[in-house]
Amino acid sequence: MSENQLEVEKFISKLEGQITEGLDKEVQKLFGKLMNLLKYIREDDYQYLLGHARIAAKCLLLPSPNLQLAEKTIDSISFAVKGAHNPFVAIIRGGTPPTRVILGLGILLYLAIPLMTMFWPDLSKQDSILGVSVSLLIMVSLAGALGSIVSIMVRLHEFTTKKDADPSVLLFTGFFKPVVGAAFAMFVLSVIKAGLIPVKIDPDVENYFYLALAFVSGFSERFAKDVASKTEAIVGGRNVNN
């Protein structure tokens, strides 16, 4: 038995001697959670959590138990030990920054593909939305999302420098970047269709033009932001003139 296991056993024995009858139900509930977590704290990797467990127990054994602090402390212990045994959480917390970004992208695709399959029959029945071909809208949004995915792949090495970044931020970056890319692509399409930025397009290559423009909108956030800034200046100027 390791030194840490001995310390945990001593702690449990001490608790048994201090727990008395008539404890509040909420205190009993939190004690139950704490005792369940001690089996994890017995592992040497989590010996640093024994101090947290002692604080939680002390809060619960006060004449007027500090339930809020005890619950928060127990929840933090639970997240630390159970999260490490959850593969999904382990990847987020312990994986490299690029891995977290890829995981976010994978989650999006895992959710998006079934949703697209579900709604495709209804979409395919529509010829147009607001006068714009449904097939064009789908093509542009997918091209924008694809551009964002390619952007992530090309710049994946840049995420290795973000070791101090919040893991959840990296996860959501991978998850939402294709969504943002699709939104940018739809925005740029709307600007061109509205004639806010006049562009001469050969009817024979119109679809290819929009496809390329959508991909670039998703791939390069700077390009989409430049279009947004120019549109804002044009619309703002028109409002001023009016």
Side-chain angles (χ1 to χ4, degrees):
M1 186 176 289
S2 68
E3 184 179 344
N4 179 58
Q5 291 174 336
L6 287 172
E7 287 295 320
V8 173
E9 292 301 324
K10 288 178 183 178
F11 176 61
I12 292 174
S13 299
K14 187 176 179 181
L15 280 182
E16 289 176 348
Q18 291 178 307
I19 296 175
T20 58
E21 294 183 6
L23 289 176
D24 181 80
K25 287 186 178 180
E26 189 62 29
V27 173
Q28 293 181 41
K29 179 180 175 182
L30 291 174
F31 256 125
K33 284 185 178 181
L34 180 60
M35 297 301 290
N36 185 54
L37 291 171
L38 287 176
K39 64 184 179 184
Y40 295 104
I41 298 177
R42 285 171 55 89
E43 299 177 23
D44 291 339
D45 290 341
Y46 306 115
Q47 60 182 357
Y48 69 96
L49 292 171
L50 183 56
H52 295 67
R54 285 174 174 151
I55 291 172
K58 186 174 181 178
C59 290
L60 293 173
L61 292 171
L62 290 172
S64 297
N66 190 335
L67 297 178
Q68 187 174 6
L69 178 56
E71 185 173 14
K72 292 291 183 183
T73 305
I74 291 171
D75 286 344
S76 68
I77 297 172
S78 179
F79 180 81
V81 296
K82 291 188 175 180
H85 289 77
N86 184 315
F88 178 75
V89 176
I91 291 173
I92 297 175
R93 295 175 57 203
T96 62
T99 301
R100 293 166 186 152
V101 175
I102 293 298
L103 178 63
L105 178 59
I107 293 172
L108 173 66
L109 295 176
Y110 179 79
L111 296 174
I113 292 174
L115 286 174
M116 287 177 61
T117 305
M118 186 184 305
F119 290 109
W120 177 254
D122 292 330
L123 284 173
S124 60
K125 294 176 183 177
Q126 304 291 327
D127 293 328
S128 63
I129 298 176
L130 298 176
V132 182
S133 168
V134 169
S135 59
L136 177 61
L137 291 174
I138 293 174
M139 179 185 72
V140 165
S141 61
L142 289 178
L146 180 61
S148 290
I149 293 173
V150 173
S151 176
I152 290 175
M153 297 295 104
V154 170
R155 299 187 176 102
L156 201 59
H157 65 282
E158 296 179 7
F159 291 104
T160 58
T161 62
K162 302 184 182 296
K163 294 180 180 179
D164 296 328
D166 187 331
S168 60
V169 171
L170 294 169
L171 178 74
F172 287 125
T173 296
F175 184 90
F176 284 112
K177 202 171 192 312
V179 178
V180 173
F184 274 150
M186 295 291 287
F187 167 72
V188 173
L189 174 67
S190 301
V191 169
I192 301 299
K193 283 287 189 181
L196 294 174
I197 298 179
V199 178
K200 235 180 171 181
I201 306 172
D202 186 342
D204 294 333
V205 296
E206 183 179 24
N207 286 340
Y208 296 105
F209 173 81
Y210 287 130
L211 189 63
L213 198 63
F215 183 90
V216 172
S217 299
F219 183 84
S220 173
E221 291 182 9
R222 180 179 297 178
F223 171 77
K225 288 177 181 178
D226 287 344
V227 173
S229 298
K230 190 168 184 179
T231 303
E232 183 182 10
I234 292 171
V235 174
R238 289 181 179 179
N239 288 338
V240 170
N241 294 332
N242 291 336

